[in-house]
Amino acid sequence: MSKVFSAHAVSVDGYITGRDPGAGRGLGDAPMLFDWYFDGDTPSGVFDGFKLSGPSARIFDTLAGRVGAVVAGRNTYEDSDRFGGGSPHPAARLFVLSRRAAPEISERQTLVTTGIEDAIAAAREAAGGRDVALMGGGVLTATLEADLVDEVILHQVPVLLGSGRRFFQELPKHVRLCLVEAVPAPGVTHLHYEVAR
């Protein structure tokens, strides 16, 4: 069965955006969370235009190569200018989890209003045996609460943002993680965890 994982760039103090994120503003005052996508000499084999350090390219392309579908929350969708009608991944269908209608959804995107379990089930079916990637702190929290997350990957950027959207929201119980790999790289440390069951 396909795995469900989250891989996010995150500040040391746990933010995935800076202050004032939103449509046309992306991550707000925290674009440095993605600097490591472009600070190396190794082109990504999955994403055109990305030039990463050698260690980051290995991690990033391995993860991106696993993705068959993406589930994103409505805030992430809007903050990312609706991904231009496509997906954050060049080859994966996007499923947008929202409680409200989204008439701007394109034919390359699917709106799911019936909850995280249905979104993950639809994404797994569309992924065709590949993995499902999660985007957004709210989606990750809901998927952790439903006990559907297999892996959590933090691309930890050495900055304290002090404000923004937190990656991890309040959970009803502890979630134990097992460290699989920790890879230091220029401008980022890649921390790969499995969810302990």
Side-chain angles (χ1 to χ4, degrees):
M1 176 176 269
S2 65
K3 290 189 174 183
V4 176
F5 73 91
S6 173
H8 280 72
V10 61
S11 68
V12 172
D13 54 347
Y15 292 99
I16 57 173
T17 76
R19 293 165 185 83
D20 201 29
R25 297 183 308 276
L27 299 175
D29 70 351
M32 77 287 292
L33 289 177
F34 291 144
D35 284 353
W36 61 277
Y37 286 0
F38 309 103
D39 68 356
D41 299 325
T42 306
S44 170
V46 181
F47 282 75
D48 290 338
F50 285 26
K51 291 189 84 174
L52 306 103
S53 69
S56 289
R58 178 182 65 81
I59 297 291
F60 182 83
D61 280 354
T62 297
L63 291 171
R66 294 171 46 187
V67 177
V70 177
V71 177
R74 184 65 177 265
N75 284 338
T76 300
Y77 175 71
E78 297 294 347
D79 290 354
S80 302
D81 294 319
R82 303 173 186 147
F83 298 105
S87 172
H89 189 285
R93 183 162 191 84
L94 174 64
F95 293 81
V96 179
L97 181 65
S98 180
R99 291 189 183 100
R100 59 191 193 278
E104 66 279 357
I105 291 286
S106 78
E107 58 190 41
R108 289 193 59 217
Q109 303 169 335
T110 301
L111 177 67
V112 180
T113 60
T114 53
I116 193 64
E117 291 88 351
D118 289 343
I120 296 298
R124 274 194 161 130
E125 184 174 332
R130 298 178 76 119
D131 292 340
V132 174
L134 305 173
M135 287 192 72
V139 162
L140 174 60
T141 299
T143 312
L144 283 167
E145 287 176 352
D147 197 28
L148 294 172
V149 180
D150 299 296
E151 300 171 27
V152 176
I153 297 103
L154 304 176
H155 304 296
Q156 191 176 66
V157 177
V159 63
L160 299 170
L161 294 177
S163 185
R165 287 204 182 110
R166 289 207 167 273
F167 184 32
F168 295 101
Q169 299 175 8
E170 187 172 329
L171 291 165
K173 61 181 180 180
H174 293 162
V175 177
R176 296 218 176 261
L177 304 174
C178 299
L179 183 64
V180 174
E181 184 178 36
V183 178
V188 64
T189 300
H190 306 283
L191 301 168
H192 184 164
Y193 297 95
E194 287 182 348
V195 176
R197 292 197 166 87

